[in-house]
Amino acid sequence: DNYSNNICYCQVYNNIFCYTNNMEFKDRLKELRAENGRSQTDIASLLCLSKMAVSHWECGDSEPNIAQLKALAKYFDVSIDYLVGYID
């Protein structure tokens, strides 16, 4: 059973079960930025946001909207599912 080990856990959003791995969006964004040599300011400029907005994402205080997720996925050449931790 894939969901009985520590690799995945279940989150419930509006009575919808979403199985995710242990990587959260905030951690995935930091990881992708580091791998690509990008700063919070670089990401903020890409999305016409303040550096503080990106910082809030990486601290887990807020999350991007769907348009921002699409732009990040395209920029880093990954899927939205990967960004939000649904797949590795």
Side-chain angles (χ1 to χ4, degrees):
D1 179 326
N2 289 348
Y3 303 111
S4 62
N5 58 29
N6 291 332
I7 295 172
C8 296
Y9 65 96
C10 180
Q11 294 180 334
V12 179
Y13 298 103
N14 296 325
N15 296 323
I16 299 171
F17 290 93
C18 301
Y19 289 97
T20 63
N21 63 28
N22 290 326
M23 180 74 76
E24 295 182 43
F25 168 77
K26 64 181 186 165
D27 302 316
R28 187 70 56 138
L29 180 58
K30 284 184 225 177
E31 177 184 80
L32 286 168
R33 270 199 319 98
E35 287 175 359
N36 288 275
R38 299 293 178 222
S39 67
Q40 288 181 343
T41 302
D42 294 334
I43 301 306
S45 294
L46 169 76
L47 299 172
C48 300
L49 298 170
S50 68
K51 177 186 172 289
M52 188 59 68
V54 177
S55 176
H56 283 297
W57 293 347
E58 291 188 358
C59 290
D61 295 332
S62 65
E63 294 181 338
N65 64 35
I66 191 67
Q68 294 161 337
L69 280 174
K70 287 178 181 180
L72 288 167
K74 184 173 182 174
Y75 180 75
F76 288 118
D77 194 27
V78 297
S79 70
I80 291 174
D81 283 347
Y82 179 81
L83 271 177
V84 299
Y86 286 168
I87 62 172
D88 280 330

